[in-house]
């Protein structure tokens, strides 16, 4: 995906109401309410310009400006975020109109840095999404309620989600479903069981997720092997997923969101957008599985080479992630970003 100029803002009161509310409230507790004579808990840490924060919803969309969202985008602005409701409500025309409104997404627990604050909104940069737009990380506006300033628990072991959108569940033995989380989400590991693992949330508390939905690994190591074959398996696991402009999650991806997210679980950090991925890669005349193929002049599309003249890619709005022939008239070249 290559960024284009912003579209004129269409702001409705409904969107503003959904976006306002200040810093995110603490997650509800399953413990009994304290009595009126019990000490009051310390107030949640406030978001501050220049300081770190963490995403506190399953997927936070980064908007071009606080006035970019429309009425139809209200489900994407709350906490909890209603990603599936949002995607289901948009028409094809409304999906296309995300171009110029939204730029990328960040996942639950992802670290961001706050660079500006307005009522109900925070401008952040995402360090794990390199971009020429800002040396600090990918920039965009997020509703304040979708962030927490409380530093999350840090554990030696991590549980990384390796299925598209598995359920996060209550922390008790009932393991009731709460909401879905995305492929690539990283949780500090609290305990590992045979059927479920227990993980720490950035908002506090411990929840459960199916053991089969995550890869357990030491902090600082890849969730999945950094091999070309394994990278291809990750990319093809999104086959049939709807294209979503600015999408970088298991709920929807754009072309560079697919490649960025696939590389992420193999601990290979690449730029977020197609043009930046092209600029960062090493040119190769004969691509191998896992290398990236680029299209357009200037470059505006990317796919992951699958071997034998084919690629995995997210073609465009109204289409799904698919395997397709790599030979196209607008082929620009191949780049290698693997170590």
């Amino acid at each position: 995906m290559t960024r284009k100029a912003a579209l004129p803002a269409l702001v409705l009161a409904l969107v503003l109401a959904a976006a306002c509310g200040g810093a995110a409230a603490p997650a509800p507790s399953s413990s009994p309410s304290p009595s009126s004579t019990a000490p009051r808990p310390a107030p949640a840490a406030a978001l501050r310009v220049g300081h770190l924060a963490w995403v506190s919803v399953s997927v936070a969309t980064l908007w071009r400006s606080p006035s970019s969202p429309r009425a139809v985008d209200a489900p994407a602005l709350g906490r909890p975020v209603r990603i599936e409701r949002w995607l289901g409500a948009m028409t094809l025309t409304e999906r296309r109109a995300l171009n110029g409104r939204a730029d990328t997404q960040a996942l639950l627990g992802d670290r961001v840095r706050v660079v500006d604050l307005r009522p109900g909104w925070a401008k952040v940069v995402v360090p794990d999404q390199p971009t020429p737009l800002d040396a600090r990380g990918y920039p965009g506006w997020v509703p304040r309620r979708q962030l927490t300033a409380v530093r999350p628990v840090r554990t030696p072991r991590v549980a990384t989600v390796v299925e598209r959108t598995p359920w996060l569940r209550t922390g008790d033995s009932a393991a009731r479903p709460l909401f879905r989380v995305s492929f690539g989400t990283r949780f500090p590991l609290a305990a590992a069981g045979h059927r479920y693992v227990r993980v720490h949330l950035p908002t506090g508390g411990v929840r459960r997720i199916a053991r089969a939905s995550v890869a357990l690994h030491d902090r600082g190591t890849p969730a999945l092997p950094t091999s070309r074959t394994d990278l291809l398996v990750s990319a093809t696991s999104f086959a049939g997923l709807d294209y979503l402009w600015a999408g970088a999650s298991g709920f929807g991806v754009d072309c560079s969101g697919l490649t960025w997210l696939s590389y992420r679980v193999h601990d290979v950090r690449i730029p977020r957008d197609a043009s930046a991925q092209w600029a960062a890669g090493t040119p190769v005349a004969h691509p191998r599985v896992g290398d990236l193929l680029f299209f357009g002049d200037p470059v505006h599309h990317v796919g992951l080479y699958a071997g034998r003249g084919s690629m995995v890619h997210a073609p465009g709005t109204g289409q799904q992630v698919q395997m397709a022939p790599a030979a196209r008239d607008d082929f620009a070249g191949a780049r290698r970003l693997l170590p």
Side-chain angles (χ1 to χ4, degrees), residues 238 241-245 247-255 257-258 261 314 321:
F238 293 103
L241 180 65
D242 285 343
Y243 179 99
L244 176 68
W245 177 270
S249 81
F251 298 95
V253 291
D254 59 28
C255 66
L258 170 64
L261 187 58
V321 175

Side-chain angles (χ1 to χ4, degrees), residues 60-64 101-106 124 126 138-142 246:
T61 299
L62 272 66
W63 301 89
R64 189 70 62 86
R101 297 180 182 277
D103 285 327
T104 190
Q105 293 178 322
V124 303
V126 186
Y138 214 103
W141 289 89
V142 178

Side-chain angles (χ1 to χ4, degrees), residues 2 274-275 277-279 282-285 287 292-303 311 326-335:
T2 300
S275 57
Q277 292 174 5
W278 162 264
T282 301
V284 290
L292 300 185
L293 307 182
F294 295 89
F295 303 88
D297 182 16
V299 164
H300 59 78
H301 187 66
V302 60
M311 66 176 175
R328 290 179 21 166
D329 292 341
D330 60 345
F331 180 64
R335 293 288 189 269

